[in-house]
Amino acid sequence: RRSTRTSRLNALSLWRARKRRDGRAAGSMSTLAERGIPVASIGSLLAGLLFGVGWYVWIDGCAWASHVHGYNVNGAYWVPGLLQTLSLVMVNVLNWGMLSDDAAFDTESSAAIAKCWVFSAFVVAFSGVIGAVWIMVNENNIPSGEGSMWPAVAGLLQNVFIFLGSLVFRFARMQQTESNGF
């Protein structure tokens, strides 16, 4: 028994020594990429799930109001979700390596154009969220019909889910480019 315990302690000491030699403290956690877990794939799946749940909640809110209460959702209530979807595409179509250039804001600079593009994408995203909040507050104060509150709440939830999905997808792709080195 004593020799087994001693051999375990020796093995633990060797493991800690190797970790210190590799530049990490003993017992520290490695990143997901170092463990071989595909961060970009998991992030993409999570982002797609959030996007799908967002649109599912919105369509469910519209269908529920129509089926249960006979309330047809105003066509303008679709705009915040469409803006949020457009923002998702705008944020994720850009190579964010272009943002790292420390150039001035002139028309010849690709970094300046990229920064304006990202700013515009987030303006569109926050416009969608603000529009959804506005619709929900309006429906709460002055209901446009029986059963009109759930589609308004669903529109806000849709915008939040799509916005979170956009950010998750962006940061998952950033992790992929950092681990690949380009």
Side-chain angles (χ1 to χ4, degrees), residues 20 22-23 39 61 70 83 104 138-139 152 154-155 158:
R20 281 190 203 106
D22 290 344
V39 177
L83 285 174
N138 189 36
E139 284 297 332
Q158 172 200 30

Side-chain angles (χ1 to χ4, degrees), residues 26-46:
S28 69
M29 296 295 292
S30 60
T31 63
L32 293 174
E34 288 174 352
R35 288 191 231 161
I37 298 172
V39 177
S41 297
I42 292 171
S44 297
L45 288 172
L46 181 61

